[in-house]
Amino acid sequence: MRSWSLFGVLTLLLALESSAFKAHDFKTCSQSGFCRRGRALSARAKEAKSSWVSPYSVDPTSINISANEAVFTASVKSSLYPDINFGLEVRIQEDGVTRVRMDEVGGLRKRYDGAAAWALIAEPAISTEIKWTAGKKDTRAIYGEKKDIEVVVAYEPLRISLRRNGKEQIVLNGQGLLHMEHFRKKIVPATTTEEPAPIEGEGAEGEGQAVLKAENPLSWFEGEEEDDLWEETFLSWTDSKPKGPESLSLDINFPNHGSVYGIPQHATRLALPTTAGNEPTFTDPYRLYNADVFEYLASSPVSLYGSIPLMHAHSTESTVAVFHVVGSETWIDVSHPSDKSTETHWISESGILDTFLLPGPTAEDVFKQYSRLTGTPVLPAQWSLGYHQCRWNYVSSDDVRTVQKRFDEEDMPVDVFWLDIEYSEDHKYFMWKDKTFPDPVEMTNDVAANGRKMVVIVDPHLKRDQNYPAFKQASELGILVKPKSGEGEYEGWCWPGSSSWTDFFNPASWDWWKSMFKTQETEGKWSWTKSTTDIHIWNDMNEPSVFNGPEITMPKDNIHYGGWEHRDIHNINGMLFSNLTFQAVAERTDPPTRPFVLTRAFFAGSQRFGAMWTGDNLGTWEHMAVGVKMVLANGLGGLSFAGSDVGGFFGNPEPEMLVRWYQVGAFAPFFRAHAHIDTKRREPFLLDEPYKGIVKDILRLRYTLLPIWYTAFRETTVTGMPILRPQFIVFPKDKTGFEIDDQYYIGSSGLLVKPVTEKDAREAKVYLAEDQVYYDYFTNLAYRGTSKGKEISVPAALDQLPLFIRGGSILATRERPRRSSPLMKRDPFTLRVALSKAGNARGELYLDDGVTYDHLKGQFIWREFVAEKNGKKGLRLSSIDLGAAKPAEAVDGAALTTYNPTNDFAKSIWDVRVEKVVIVGLSSKPTSVKVEGGADLVWEYTPGVASSEKGGSPSILAVKDPKVLIQKDWAIVIQ
């Protein structure tokens, strides 16, 4: 380990945090040995064209088909290395998903096969109904309600395809790019200092002799020369590669799907641009390698903070997906042989082949299938859907109190105040800087007195200081990551200077980490007693970020629990940190309460443990725009609870940009403003008018819509459907919408938002994909789409946000301004009924206490509101108990068989009522409005166009205080 002076560390940190994106700090494919080998393999295959044949084949004599389950196993041979054995297993699960696994059998070493164990919630159930049929050339299984799905395993060469109605949906190894580099012994060339004796008759003295190089019979597939198989250097770092080559190459093609999405996290368009083929958008593949990339480019395939190896493929006919479960660095090329097909090439550094084929055929089906594998997003604490105020750093406890006071003086709602790393003494997390934060518990209590919370950062690096209890305990327990020797403790540099990292793959670390968060000392163990249960946690730098490491992360030859190298588990590492923190925060109380944990690094399954954000973005219009696309992409990867830093982490955005960014943030699931330590203060109350008033209205709008956000979260916890839904999900057969990623829908609410992300824009273009009426949320002005799709122009002055209600929707909102969301618990509701062109509408509302897990015991309210025609011109608006009608579908994690409408939570808000009903688009003025079985109501009617007409100012019926209760069945009849 090289010696670093304090000056050197400070210089390094300053350089890291003050400069723009440094491409040379991160590898391109051409600088990565295994990626070079994979791409070269693809190039040789393309050059060979039809003469290229994969060397991998199934040994037909080895085939075994389970008698009781849909499991096919066989031996696989490579003609390149006949003595190397591979095992293939193909399973078909109960839900129709196909799992393909291949591993080296009896090799010199074992490949890492644990990625799925961390990503999956359980071992998937295998079908006992589906049957395989073995033939001379392939083995097949046909299944599905219509017997329209077929999985085919071809023997020679090995080729696996998923078909629907005879059409190939997903093909593995169709281009013959499968290559699992087997473990081998390093051959050291013999060296000698002696001249060989001349052989009689083979040239006289003085004659020139030609040196003949032996022909490499494997070069057609692997190339002529070895390429960084045993050691690799990047800048000043050398990766020792003690296991030698072990990469995995696999082509995954979608012959009948022309658009692909997913594989977050990248700063690019939602429909993934090409990286290969003719005139690709990017020249490098998409990289999945969790990295601390600050000031990242706004359009790039460069790896960012998280990695989810899930790709959706879409066409007008169907949606399918592949989940390629590998935890090591992975590069993915994307190309389109035609506008109706997609080819992808996945190149991973290590791990087994473990790939799930998700057959769809709809986007909803794909999300359900993926959720059954990795889990749905967790239902968050309701307060965490409010506004979060953060910067690096609020400098003292008095600073926090002052910021809270200013929000209250300006009547701006806020739920959470955040503290970055400077709260801690010498960046020793859990330990407050006494000079500036002398009273952390009292400070937190002052914040909590207004129903608010604190979020405090806890990074994974531990300062190497024997006076720091966290490091001392971890060191004594032997749970720190080890260097490549496998002995001692790895030492790297981060915010505290010399640091070590807890190895959360080691089970011995789990209970210890959870004990650190206890707010009361137990059994003489040190814990965070200067804390309260109103403090929640921000996990940053968990890629992990190592300032003096290769690519600003940990060396790949570091050793984790079980002897695995860091290269094997790098992309999984950050998820384990947030997972354990999530558990730790929940278990501070008995019974546990819902924690809030924000993570920067993530992997498949991270949705089970909280929220994420898009990292260290810039205060630019380009970053504002790409942030929308990135949050949409994260939703496709299962991580719906996502957002970008409002205002950009770096820079000083002008007031117009800041206003627009608040509009973007207010319509992301996670809504936080954050700023770098070198930026000017930009809390919303510091803005001049009219900007301050506009932002205040945006904040209040977010709180008005909180019931809609929370209801959308309930849905995603059950179905896995993303909260933010791009056009291709809502309108899967509308090809025009496949590329649209600058507008989206909020859950099933019917809200359509088009954030404005361009400077000086005063008008916006919004695409309506259907022959349906859409109402401007603020003015009620009606716009009509067409069956072929229609682009409309709408006003978008700085104080105007293009926000629409889709005809046929009912919104439940809370209109009374409050300081924080917990203070809204007993506020009444307003129902906004936006009639469809057919004259009907529906919507949902979900409520629970927002804090505990009592909803899993049936402590909630789940209502459906339905507006339907009543006679020739009448309308009946009713409230129906969905909890009683569909108890098993109400909440994730608890298959309720019954539901009690008078549960304790319902009793606690028994008198919460509907204070106003607004119905938009009636065909004529009513003659009477009354509660069914009750008295006439007070109402006011404004004439206008009906929902069935082409557009304009619609009619509006406002019903004042019908006094119907949220938890009860009721109906309002309009004649």
Side-chain angles (χ1 to χ4, degrees):
M1 177 61 64
R2 84 176 59 168
S3 174
W4 287 71
S5 67
L6 177 60
F7 175 77
V9 175
L10 292 175
T11 302
L12 174 65
L13 303 189
L14 182 63
L16 282 169
E17 289 302 315
S18 63
S19 55
F21 172 66
K22 291 184 177 179
H24 63 266
D25 282 340
F26 302 95
K27 289 182 181 181
T28 61
C29 179
S30 64
Q31 295 170 306
S32 168
F34 78 92
C35 187
R36 278 198 309 273
R37 298 197 298 273
R39 264 199 160 181
L41 172 65
S42 176
R44 288 190 290 273
K46 283 182 170 59
E47 185 177 353
K49 298 181 180 178
S50 60
S51 65
W52 184 268
V53 178
S54 171
Y56 291 87
S57 61
V58 171
D59 177 1
T61 64
S62 70
I63 291 173
N64 181 68
I65 296 174
S66 170
N68 303 316
E69 296 178 313
V71 178
F72 162 96
T73 59
S75 295
V76 171
K77 287 288 188 179
S78 167
S79 60
L80 303 175
Y81 300 97
D83 295 332
I84 305 300
N85 299 307
F86 301 93
L88 174 70
E89 180 185 69
V90 185
R91 306 175 181 177
I92 303 177
Q93 299 168 190
E94 286 182 348
D95 61 355
V97 170
T98 297
R99 184 179 190 178
V100 180
R101 287 166 56 93
M102 187 172 121
D103 193 4
E104 185 176 350
V105 178
L108 292 177
R109 298 180 179 87
K110 180 175 171 58
R111 301 178 74 95
Y112 185 70
D113 60 358
W118 298 111
L120 304 185
I121 54 175
E123 191 65 23
I126 303 171
S127 171
T128 57
E129 303 294 327
I130 300 169
K131 304 298 180 185
W132 289 97
T133 302
K136 292 183 178 179
K137 295 183 178 180
D138 56 46
T139 294
R140 301 174 177 234
I142 298 174
Y143 60 96
E145 290 184 6
K146 301 178 181 179
K147 301 298 181 184
D148 56 345
I149 306 174
E150 185 177 30
V151 176
V152 181
V153 181
Y155 304 155
E156 191 169 356
L158 171 62
R159 184 180 188 272
I160 300 173
S161 60
L162 175 76
R163 305 177 182 181
R164 185 179 291 275
N165 294 321
K167 287 187 175 182
E168 289 188 325
Q169 308 289 295
I170 306 171
V171 178
L172 307 186
N173 201 34
Q175 293 174 276
L177 304 184
L178 169 66
H179 189 32
M180 181 174 280
E181 292 181 328
H182 66 280
F183 290 117
R184 63 200 76 184
K185 293 180 179 179
K186 185 176 182 179
I187 300 175
V188 180
T191 59
T192 179
T193 57
E194 297 182 1
E195 288 287 335
I199 300 174
E200 185 177 351
E202 290 194 5
E205 184 177 349
E207 291 182 5
Q209 296 185 34
V211 178
L212 299 179
K213 185 176 181 181
E215 183 178 344
N216 179 2
L218 311 181
S219 62
W220 70 273
F221 193 80
E222 293 188 323
E224 289 286 352
E225 304 291 338
E226 289 190 353
D227 185 2
D228 281 349
L229 300 187
W230 298 97
E231 187 176 87
E232 185 169 338
T233 298
F234 176 68
L235 301 179
S236 62
W237 293 277
T238 297
D239 177 5
S240 63
K241 294 189 177 180
K243 294 185 292 183
E246 54 175 318
S247 73
L248 172 66
S249 164
L250 177 66
D251 57 283
I252 305 176
N253 296 332
F254 308 95
N256 291 288
H257 296 81
S259 298
V260 288
Y261 310 87
I263 56 170
Q265 184 182 46
H266 300 96
T268 187
R269 302 197 303 270
L270 185 65
L272 293 169
T274 55
T275 65
N278 295 327
E279 298 181 356
T281 302
F282 301 122
T283 55
D284 241 27
Y286 294 101
R287 191 185 189 197
L288 295 178
Y289 188 65
N290 296 359
D292 181 0
V293 186
F294 53 87
E295 295 193 343
Y296 52 84
L297 301 175
S299 177
S300 171
V302 168
S303 58
L304 294 178
Y305 309 96
S307 301
I308 300 179
L310 171 72
M311 180 179 284
H312 300 248
H314 183 72
S315 72
T316 56
E317 294 183 357
S318 67
T319 307
V320 296
V322 291
F323 178 35
H324 189 58
V325 196
V326 63
S328 64
E329 178 186 355
T330 298
W331 301 76
I332 305 164
D333 265 322
V334 175
S335 62
H336 297 294
S338 71
D339 61 355
K340 295 181 179 179
S341 63
T342 305
E343 294 177 350
T344 70
H345 182 199
W346 303 59
I347 312 164
S348 301
E349 185 169 20
S350 68
I352 69 167
L353 191 159
D354 194 353
T355 304
F356 293 84
L357 314 183
L358 284 58
T362 67
E364 290 88 344
D365 292 326
V366 166
F367 287 113
K368 288 179 182 177
Q369 290 156 3
Y370 181 67
S371 295
R372 281 191 283 266
L373 294 172
T374 67
T376 58
V378 66
L379 185 64
Q382 188 170 1
W383 55 262
S384 66
L385 304 186
Y387 173 61
H388 298 245
Q389 182 62 52
C390 183
R391 74 171 282 112
W392 177 25
N393 205 88
Y394 290 117
V395 298
S396 68
S397 53
D398 286 341
D399 192 7
V400 172
R401 291 183 175 100
T402 299
V403 172
Q404 172 167 250
K405 181 181 178 183
R406 289 299 310 277
F407 268 94
D408 289 342
E409 288 174 347
E410 298 290 346
D411 287 328
M412 291 181 171
V414 59
D415 264 77
V416 194
F417 296 110
W418 290 54
L419 291 177
D420 212 319
I421 58 177
E422 308 307 333
Y423 82 90
S424 59
E425 187 68 43
D426 296 330
H427 302 134
K428 292 183 285 191
Y429 308 108
F430 307 110
M431 304 187 75
W432 297 89
K433 193 177 292 183
D434 289 337
K435 184 176 180 180
T436 51
F437 291 91
D439 54 349
V441 171
E442 291 78 6
M443 172 196 69
T444 304
N445 290 341
D446 288 344
V447 168
N450 293 305
R452 299 181 177 125
K453 306 290 183 183
M454 296 286 302
V455 169
V456 176
I457 197 167
V458 175
D459 286 346
H461 45 262
L462 300 177
K463 183 177 177 65
R464 292 182 60 83
D465 181 344
Q466 289 297 326
N467 294 319
Y468 177 28
F471 169 73
K472 187 173 185 294
Q473 291 179 16
S475 180
E476 291 172 349
L477 287 169
I479 55 174
L480 297 172
V481 176
K482 302 179 186 303
K484 63 182 180 181
S485 66
E487 301 295 331
E489 299 163 356
Y490 168 68
E491 180 183 357
W493 289 85
C494 210
W495 296 124
S498 177
S499 304
S500 289
W501 281 257
T502 305
D503 182 5
F504 287 104
F505 291 87
N506 188 336
S509 70
W510 300 347
D511 286 340
W512 167 77
W513 185 248
K514 288 187 277 188
S515 75
M516 297 296 291
F517 289 83
K518 298 297 184 182
T519 58
Q520 295 181 345
E521 189 171 332
T522 57
E523 301 176 6
K525 293 182 179 179
W526 188 92
S527 66
W528 201 9
T529 55
K530 290 186 178 181
S531 178
T532 85
T533 55
D534 288 312
I535 288 179
H536 293 255
I537 302 301
W538 172 14
N539 283 163
D540 197 0
M541 313 294 283
N542 52 329
E543 293 76 29
S545 177
V546 182
F547 291 156
N548 66 329
E551 301 193 86
I552 317 182
T553 192
M554 195 172 280
K556 289 182 174 180
D557 49 11
N558 275 5
I559 302 299
H560 288 263
Y561 179 77
W564 297 110
E565 288 187 286
H566 186 72
R567 80 181 74 250
D568 299 314
I569 51 81
H570 174 85
N571 288 342
I572 308 169
N573 183 80
M575 178 175 73
L576 267 62
F577 181 51
S578 59
N579 175 355
L580 267 298
T581 303
F582 183 88
Q583 295 181 47
V585 177
E587 293 176 18
R588 292 180 305 187
T589 58
D590 186 13
T593 51
R594 288 184 233 173
F596 173 81
V597 174
L598 180 75
T599 183
R600 190 169 72 175
F602 54 85
F603 187 65
S606 284
Q607 67 270 18
R608 307 193 298 267
F609 314 118
M612 62 73 58
W613 90 109
T614 61
D616 296 344
N617 57 353
L618 278 72
T620 66
W621 292 98
E622 293 80 9
H623 272 254
M624 185 195 308
V626 80
V628 172
K629 308 174 198 303
M630 292 170 71
V631 172
L632 288 174
N634 284 332
L636 298 185
L639 263 174
S640 274
F641 200 2
S644 295
D645 282 342
V646 169
F649 181 58
F650 294 99
N652 295 296
E654 60 186 343
E656 179 193 359
M657 182 190 296
L658 198 55
V659 167
R660 290 300 194 194
W661 217 313
Y662 269 95
Q663 292 172 347
V664 169
F667 283 88
F670 176 56
F671 181 21
R672 181 184 76 156
H674 186 35
H676 188 273
I677 196 169
D678 292 333
T679 63
K680 297 176 182 178
R681 285 284 181 110
R682 47 168 133 111
E683 289 77 11
F685 51 72
L686 295 175
L687 288 166
D688 294 328
E689 295 292 358
Y691 309 106
K692 180 166 68 175
I694 297 172
V695 172
K696 178 178 176 178
D697 289 342
I698 296 167
L699 293 172
R700 286 188 169 181
L701 175 61
R702 171 69 173 207
Y703 280 74
T704 292
L705 299 175
L706 279 181
I708 293 169
W709 285 103
Y710 198 58
T711 300
F713 265 93
R714 183 219 67 85
E715 182 183 5
T716 195
T717 65
V718 175
T719 67
M721 283 285 284
I723 289 175
L724 304 190
R725 298 182 187 172
Q727 289 289 134
F728 88 89
I729 290 178
V730 182
F731 300 101
K733 294 187 179 298
D734 178 30
K735 196 170 183 179
T736 303
F738 293 0
E739 299 283 330
I740 294 177
D741 54 13
D742 58 357
Q743 65 179 58
Y744 51 87
Y745 291 80
I746 310 295
S748 299
S749 68
L751 282 176
L752 169 64
V753 62
K754 171 67 180 281
V756 178
T757 59
E758 295 179 1
K759 182 178 173 59
D760 296 328
R762 295 299 178 264
E763 185 179 76
K765 303 287 188 182
V766 180
Y767 179 69
L768 304 181
E770 60 182 332
D771 182 14
Q772 184 58 271
V773 60
Y774 282 73
Y775 304 94
D776 184 292
Y777 180 90
F778 304 100
T779 67
N780 289 315
L781 190 65
Y783 297 86
R784 185 71 173 265
T786 67
S787 59
K788 294 182 179 180
K790 177 183 179 181
E791 188 175 74
I792 60 172
S793 296
V794 299
L798 191 57
D799 63 343
Q800 293 175 302
L801 171 68
L803 177 63
F804 300 88
I805 311 174
R806 184 184 185 187
S809 306
I810 299 178
L811 305 181
T813 62
R814 279 175 155 155
E815 305 286 336
R816 299 187 183 185
R818 300 291 184 189
R819 292 182 180 185
S820 64
S821 63
L823 303 180
M824 302 169 68
K825 179 180 178 179
R826 303 189 62 81
D827 283 353
F829 286 86
T830 293
L831 295 184
R832 189 105 163 254
V833 182
L835 294 177
S836 69
K837 68 174 186 176
N840 51 43
R842 75 169 298 278
E844 293 182 16
L845 174 66
Y846 174 81
L847 301 169
D848 60 30
D849 67 23
V851 177
T852 73
Y853 289 98
D854 287 348
H855 62 291
L856 301 179
K857 304 173 185 176
Q859 303 289 322
F860 59 81
I861 292 172
W862 183 25
R863 308 296 303 188
E864 179 182 31
F865 305 111
V866 177
E868 53 195 351
K869 289 184 176 180
N870 186 35
K872 288 186 177 181
K873 293 186 177 181
L875 190 76
R876 185 175 185 268
L877 173 64
S878 59
S879 175
I880 302 165
D881 191 341
L882 280 179
K886 302 177 180 180
E889 301 175 29
V891 292
D892 180 49
L896 302 174
T897 55
T898 60
Y899 169 76
N900 179 10
T902 60
N903 61 77
D904 289 344
F905 170 73
K907 289 178 181 177
S908 73
I909 60 166
W910 70 270
D911 57 346
V912 172
R913 72 189 196 284
V914 176
E915 68 173 349
K916 188 176 183 180
V917 176
V918 178
I919 300 175
V920 185
L922 283 172
S923 59
S924 59
K925 182 177 180 179
T927 57
S928 75
V929 179
K930 67 167 97 177
V931 175
E932 194 169 69
D936 288 340
L937 299 174
V938 178
W939 52 275
E940 182 179 322
Y941 180 79
T942 303
V945 300
S947 62
S948 58
E949 298 179 42
K950 291 298 181 182
S953 296
S955 66
I956 300 173
L957 173 67
V959 181
K960 300 178 181 179
D961 201 4
K963 292 186 174 61
V964 291
L965 300 179
I966 277 295
Q967 62 159 322
K968 295 291 186 180
D969 291 350
W970 49 260
I972 296 174
V973 179
I974 300 161
Q975 297 292 348

